[in-house]
Amino acid sequence: MQFISYYNFRRFLERLSKDFLVYTPQFINERDYDYSLFKEGFIFNPYRLISSPRQFFTASSSLVVGYFDSKIPRREIKPFAIVGLKSCDLYSLKIQDYVFLEGDFVDEEYKKKRETSLIISSDCTSFKDVCFCLNLEIKPYPQEGFDFNLSDIDRGFLVEIGSEKAKRIWEDNKDLFEERKDLQARREEKRKKIIEDLEKHLSSLGLVPQEKLYQLVKNNHANPLWQDTALSCVECGACIMNCPTCHCFLLSDEERKGEYFRGRIWDGCQYKNFARVAGGANPLKLRAQRLRNRYIKKFEFFKERIDLYACTGCGRCIDSCIAKIDLREIFKALNA
């Protein structure tokens, strides 16, 4: 097992910056972190960041088709490296991969970013009150889907190499790493402790077991709870924009000085016009229908298609909801 000190890890990021746009965690307030382009310092985030990795792989707005002045050269953008992704974030990429890589059509831009990017994940050493990944049987430490994974220990990181790409990069930077077999047992102790702490926290909340979530949604399409909850919703869209598994988008056409463009922007089922068709009909006309649709998509549709929930337990939707709508409480009410 490889080990890298805090000091050498910063040097490692400096070297990566030659080939990648490196994004690392930075404080945004006393309890939250978000991504920032790496310059000099590095901060380890004990739990997931405010933003999800979705923003790196599908831009909130992008050009699909358009005309460009041939005299203006197209700038080739470096691939990116993301530091600080957590297990819940890696799980979310399974959903995004299914949508953009495994359907009838492959999104080439998404594919390129997935192939060229570098993912440096890390173990959680703490959690937020809204975190409930373990309730969905997602461990608070990554087990797959990363290039490098970092376990914070002994003023440095125990490093797990998870891909051939990462192995090649490690071989080019061996001078920054050292073999430390003595730290693996301590890493397992820290992982056991975070699970015990998270289990204790979740048990106090009385959450519904994950194996019941599918049937609770499927059997409660007509439950008045959706209408009651929708009365609080202000349709701000924070839940869908911050969700790491949401993926819906809107195609829009625009004309500028005789040139035509087709753009793609993030969209979501909580918006009133999301499901409206050209003739004006809207199968999700009511706010309660749109609220319910989100749960059907995440806990019924994806469970039937790929046997996975499209929810990571990251709690970002709970954190960002102005109306304080809590997904966990909705399931408790349905179960009651």
Side-chain angles (χ1 to χ4, degrees), residues 144-155:
E144 60 179 356
F146 54 82
D147 295 303
F148 293 99
N149 185 64
L150 311 174
S151 299
D152 187 32
I153 195 167
D154 201 25
R155 296 192 59 77

Side-chain angles (χ1 to χ4, degrees), residues 90-102 110 244-247 298 302 306 308-312:
L90 299 182
Y91 177 94
S92 74
L93 293 178
K94 294 181 180 180
I95 305 300
Q96 300 288 353
D97 286 351
Y98 171 75
V99 173
F100 293 108
L101 298 180
E102 300 175 24
Y110 179 88
T245 66
C246 278
H247 47 266
K298 292 187 178 299
F302 272 97
I306 58 175
L308 292 174
Y309 290 131
C311 176
T312 71

Side-chain angles (χ1 to χ4, degrees), residues 237-329:
C239 56
I240 50 179
M241 294 302 161
N242 287 327
C243 177
T245 66
C246 278
H247 47 266
C248 293
F249 57 85
L250 170 70
L251 293 175
S252 61
D253 296 320
E254 183 179 348
E255 183 268 332
R256 296 181 192 171
K257 297 180 180 179
E259 294 185 349
Y260 294 87
F261 303 84
R262 169 161 290 182
R264 182 169 77 174
I265 60 174
W266 285 359
D267 199 4
C269 57
Q270 301 306 285
Y271 293 134
K272 185 175 181 179
N273 290 327
F274 171 77
R276 186 171 61 86
V277 296
N282 191 339
L284 299 179
K285 184 177 181 180
L286 303 178
R287 191 184 306 162
Q289 294 173 322
R290 297 193 290 277
L291 176 70
R292 180 187 63 192
N293 183 76
R294 188 164 186 266
Y295 288 76
I296 291 174
K297 182 74 176 290
K298 292 187 178 299
F299 296 96
E300 187 178 332
F301 175 88
F302 272 97
K303 187 66 174 176
E304 292 176 347
R305 295 307 187 279
I306 58 175
D307 198 28
L308 292 174
Y309 290 131
C311 176
T312 71
C314 69
R316 287 183 174 97
C317 59
I318 305 169
D319 245 354
S320 60
C321 182
I322 297 173
K324 305 301 181 185
I325 296 173
D326 191 326
L327 175 151
R328 301 168 300 181
E329 295 302 317

Side-chain angles (χ1 to χ4, degrees), residues 1-60:
M1 190 71 72
Q2 297 297 313
F3 175 81
I4 188 169
S5 67
Y6 292 152
Y7 175 73
N8 279 342
F9 185 68
R10 189 173 69 248
R11 293 173 62 196
F12 180 59
L13 295 181
E14 289 170 353
R15 294 183 186 182
L16 286 180
S17 296
K18 296 176 182 178
D19 300 312
F20 295 91
L21 292 171
V22 180
Y23 293 90
T24 60
Q26 298 294 331
F27 286 119
I28 59 172
N29 56 47
E30 67 274 7
R31 62 186 289 269
D32 290 315
Y33 308 79
D34 212 346
Y35 297 104
S36 179
L37 194 61
F38 172 73
K39 294 179 181 177
E40 295 178 357
F42 167 74
I43 296 173
F44 174 80
N45 54 310
Y47 39 74
R48 55 87 178 156
L49 280 71
I50 288 289
S51 299
S52 77
R54 172 191 180 192
Q55 63 175 315
F56 293 102
F57 297 101
T58 58
S60 58

